[in-house]
Amino acid sequence: MQADGLREIPPTAGLPLRLRDLLPPWQSDFAQQAAKFLRVDAAGLECSGTACLIVILRALQELSGRRTVVVPAYTCPLVALAIAHCGLQLRLCDLALDSFELDPAALAAACDDDTLAVIPTHLAGRVADLSEVLTIAHRHNAFVIEDAAQCFGARRDNASVGLQGDAGFFSFAAGKGLSLYEGGLWIARTPEMRKAIARVSASVPASFAMEIYRCLQLAGYTAFYRPLPLRFVYGMPLRRALRRRDPVTAAGDDFSTPIPLHRVGAWRRAVGNRALRRLTDFQIALAAQASERLPSLTRLPGVKVFTDTPGVQGVWPLFLILMPTRAMRDAALDRLWGAGVGVTRMFIHALPDYAYLRSRISPADVYVPNAHDFAARAMTISNSLWLDDQRFARIVQILEETISR
């Protein structure tokens, strides 16, 4: 598929900011307004979703002498880096077959008397079933932290994700629905847990230099998160990385340490408040578009499309699919990834395959066949409102042609 002129569709459907979002009057009680949006009692704001995980883990460390944290073997590498940042021991758990959810048998084997927490992932707007995770974790008196970085606004049984376990967190990084250009929100199930996390959060320092940097980035995001400028700030670097055969950089998986920890300033909180007022209507529009387009994807032979289960209301920044084989996935991406139509990969590898994580992973955790298989067959399609029906139909046609060969 040829590159789409000068337009670039983002890989996820982020809420575009408006110029008036940046202007006074400014109301900076973003955490309280976000809690109202989620219909939860309270929430805490940090400088990133990763920072949220760090303050949660540090709070749990104060409550327990345990040191091991169990995570899916296919998840954001920043989860592993956050655990290392806290001086804790990472343990990987394989996925269930053809799923991003934890395999119950593997989880039971991974948990022991040193397990501090289990971190299941709600991925790509889809909500994981935590019933068995909670049972196994509680059997070992371990905490459950819900990684809902990509699921702000998702609900199960009319309750926000993040409250089935002991705590949960969301990300406001660029392109993830609502964005403060970095930023994250944490919630907790009990008042006691909220107080413990809030005590740690209160110790996070301010950084004038970092906040100025983030403010400039947020202003740039407001200006450039549009199909035409995205061609230059996102599309051109993407295609350079693909030409170098560097998929980790192309997918944005090349993370570094140390992880920034600082307070979010009043201006960015105020911008978030303005944008939050439009988020419900935006998510309704994304859900409606997803509903119209899902049948075209679910009809593809041998392709698994992740959708909502009964009682769940996910969010729809993108479509997550599993192709029948790795060869088919790669053939489709050869035609689509660099074409500017919002097709990409979620995370490039299972965690053991990132070179910068190998020293942090036990050799006993390397064998995670379902996670490797998921990474090898997964791809994503943007649900951006800028991706019109004609271009979406062409994506589906290319997937059909790839599968039929």
Side-chain angles (χ1 to χ4, degrees):
M1 188 173 182
Q2 294 297 316
D4 185 22
L6 291 177
R7 291 170 55 87
E8 186 84 31
I9 303 302
T12 61
L15 174 67
L17 293 177
R18 300 171 179 172
L19 178 59
R20 62 177 174 269
D21 293 334
L22 313 185
L23 303 177
W26 293 313
Q27 180 183 0
S28 60
D29 60 338
F30 176 78
Q32 296 93 318
Q33 297 304 317
K36 290 180 181 178
F37 176 85
L38 295 176
R39 287 176 266 165
V40 300
D41 292 334
L45 180 66
E46 307 297 337
C47 64
S48 67
T50 310
C52 288
L53 177 55
I54 288 171
V55 298
I56 293 169
L57 287 172
R58 285 180 171 171
L60 298 188
Q61 285 178 283
E62 294 181 358
L63 300 173
S64 171
R66 299 182 180 194
R67 294 183 47 79
T68 302
V69 181
V70 180
V71 308
Y74 180 86
T75 193
C76 180
L78 284 169
V79 172
L81 294 177
I83 292 166
H85 181 98
C86 295
L88 296 168
Q89 177 62 49
L90 175 70
R91 180 168 296 168
L92 302 187
C93 178
D94 203 6
L95 307 182
L97 184 63
D98 291 345
S99 173
F100 62 84
E101 299 186 20
L102 293 166
D103 176 71
L107 181 60
C111 291
D112 58 28
D113 291 341
D114 191 51
T115 302
L116 173 66
V118 179
I119 308 180
T121 304
H122 302 295
L123 191 66
R126 312 278 56 79
V127 177
D129 182 355
L130 301 187
S131 54
E132 292 189 88
V133 172
L134 293 167
T135 297
I136 294 167
H138 292 164
R139 186 184 303 152
H140 293 275
N141 295 315
F143 297 100
V144 174
I145 305 169
E146 297 179 48
D147 178 351
Q150 301 171 1
C151 286
F152 184 67
R155 306 183 72 79
R156 176 183 288 278
D157 297 329
N158 206 31
S160 173
V161 297
L163 294 180
Q164 280 190 278
D166 298 282
F169 64 93
F170 309 91
S171 173
F172 301 131
K176 282 190 179 158
L178 178 70
S179 179
L180 308 181
Y181 208 97
E182 294 302 338
L185 196 81
W186 56 261
I187 58 177
R189 183 167 49 84
T190 66
E192 294 76 18
M193 183 61 69
R194 288 196 293 272
K195 290 177 183 177
I197 300 170
R199 281 195 300 270
V200 176
S201 177
S203 69
V204 173
S207 171
F208 179 76
M210 181 59 76
E211 186 57 23
I212 289 295
Y213 180 55
R214 293 298 190 217
C215 287
L216 292 173
Q217 289 179 310
L218 183 58
Y221 180 82
T222 305
F224 291 106
Y225 192 75
R226 301 287 188 276
L228 290 178
L230 275 173
R231 191 72 178 174
F232 303 97
V233 298
Y234 170 73
M236 290 176 64
L238 164 68
R239 282 176 277 282
R240 281 198 299 270
L242 292 176
R243 287 194 297 270
R244 295 196 308 266
R245 299 186 183 278
D246 182 0
V248 171
T249 298
D253 279 0
D254 190 11
F255 300 111
S256 60
T257 54
I259 297 168
L261 288 174
H262 59 94
R263 295 192 180 281
V264 178
W267 181 70
R268 283 201 293 145
R269 298 198 304 269
V271 173
N273 265 343
R274 289 275 183 86
L276 188 60
R277 296 169 192 166
R278 302 195 305 275
L279 186 60
T280 295
D281 289 343
F282 182 69
Q283 290 185 336
I284 289 172
L286 292 181
Q289 178 169 273
S291 178
E292 293 173 357
R293 292 182 173 179
L294 276 169
S296 298
L297 294 172
T298 56
R299 285 195 294 266
L300 293 169
V303 172
K304 177 167 183 176
V305 184
F306 290 89
T307 60
D308 288 340
T309 54
V312 167
Q313 180 185 346
V315 293
W316 289 97
L318 49 81
F319 301 99
L320 174 63
I321 68 174
L322 280 183
M323 292 290 281
T325 67
R326 178 174 193 157
M328 290 181 184
R329 194 279 309 272
D330 289 348
L333 286 177
D334 283 345
R335 300 177 65 184
L336 291 168
W337 197 353
V341 292
V343 174
T344 185
R345 293 166 66 177
M346 176 64 66
F347 308 122
I348 296 301
H349 300 304
L351 293 183
D353 293 335
Y354 288 97
Y356 60 86
L357 291 182
R358 285 173 188 159
S359 64
R360 308 180 191 277
I361 294 174
S362 166
D365 285 351
V366 171
Y367 182 70
V368 282
N370 292 340
H372 284 116
D373 178 66
F374 194 98
R377 295 192 289 125
M379 60 184 289
T380 66
I381 303 168
S382 178
N383 190 38
S384 171
L385 299 177
W386 293 320
L387 180 64
D388 60 31
D389 290 341
Q390 180 181 356
R391 291 175 179 85
F392 179 77
R394 180 60 178 149
I395 292 169
V396 174
Q397 180 184 0
I398 288 173
L399 294 177
E400 290 175 334
E401 291 171 359
T402 303
I403 293 166
S404 64
R405 286 177 182 169

